[in-house]
Amino acid sequence: MKEQTYQHLPPLEHRPDGSPYRMTPAQRKRANSLIRRECCNCDNGNCLALDDGDTCVCPQMLTFSVCCKWFRWAVLPLDGTLEAEIYRDRDLKRCAECGGMFVPKSNRGKYCPDCAAGVHRRQKTESERKRRSAVDS
Ligand SMILES: [Zn+2]
Ligand SMILES: [Zn+2]
């Protein structure tokens, strides 16, 4: 079987009761047009990743539950508003740097992905500077 990259994506989140996150009909409509527009596996409503010789209709477009990892992690983030709406009840954090809302990857995450890289770089430069000045004196 050929290697499928979407299998390496993080697992789908579930509600505290174990059920998958669900979309309202309006949200699914937006999700489906997003999939048609942005999903690299979507070929006119058929999923190329699931194609095993027979065409396979994209299962994500048929259901109100978020069931496709590729959709969840590669397609949905392109519409941040929709993502936030669907995952509204999940813990969102406010970025300590820019004040924007983001979904923390871990409990300790303080910065949105955009800021995290910059903050990390700054902290590294800072600690290198301190180390150097400690050596110089
Ligand atoms: Zn898909
Ligand atoms: Zn930020």
Side-chain angles (χ1 to χ4, degrees):
M1 210 178 142
K2 95 179 148 119
E3 178 87 345
Q4 291 180 317
T5 44
Y6 66 84
Q7 286 172 341
H8 302 294
L9 293 168
L12 294 170
E13 304 99 315
H14 288 88
R15 293 201 156 109
D17 68 0
S19 66
Y21 279 83
R22 288 179 68 82
M23 294 176 270
T24 65
Q27 288 167 348
R28 191 182 74 157
K29 211 172 150 207
R30 275 166 64 192
N32 283 5
S33 67
L34 186 68
I35 291 170
R36 281 184 182 279
R37 214 166 52 232
E38 301 288 356
C39 183
C40 60
N41 288 320
C42 187
D43 178 33
N44 201 21
N46 293 321
C47 186
L48 297 177
L50 296 177
D51 194 322
D52 56 359
D54 291 317
T55 50
C56 185
V57 175
C58 173
Q60 184 57 74
M61 291 174 77
L62 298 176
T63 175
F64 288 102
S65 301
V66 177
C67 71
C68 174
K69 278 192 193 180
W70 189 255
F71 167 68
R72 169 63 187 99
W73 298 114
V75 181
L76 184 56
L78 299 171
D79 186 340
T81 321
L82 182 60
E83 181 182 22
E85 270 184 29
I86 297 171
Y87 289 91
R88 198 202 310 265
D89 61 336
R90 204 178 53 163
D91 289 338
L92 287 177
K93 277 194 173 178
R94 194 170 286 280
C95 173
E97 182 78 359
C98 71
M101 299 305 282
F102 72 104
V103 177
K105 289 210 174 63
S106 77
N107 291 331
R108 289 180 308 160
K110 277 166 67 184
Y111 307 103
C112 72
D114 284 346
C115 294
V119 169
H120 183 77
R121 207 162 34 235
R122 207 171 59 211
Q123 284 170 344
K124 207 173 145 216
T125 320
E126 188 79 354
S127 71
E128 264 163 23
R129 203 178 49 82
K130 276 198 191 117
R131 199 168 49 231
R132 246 196 321 271
S133 67
V135 170
D136 285 349
S137 58

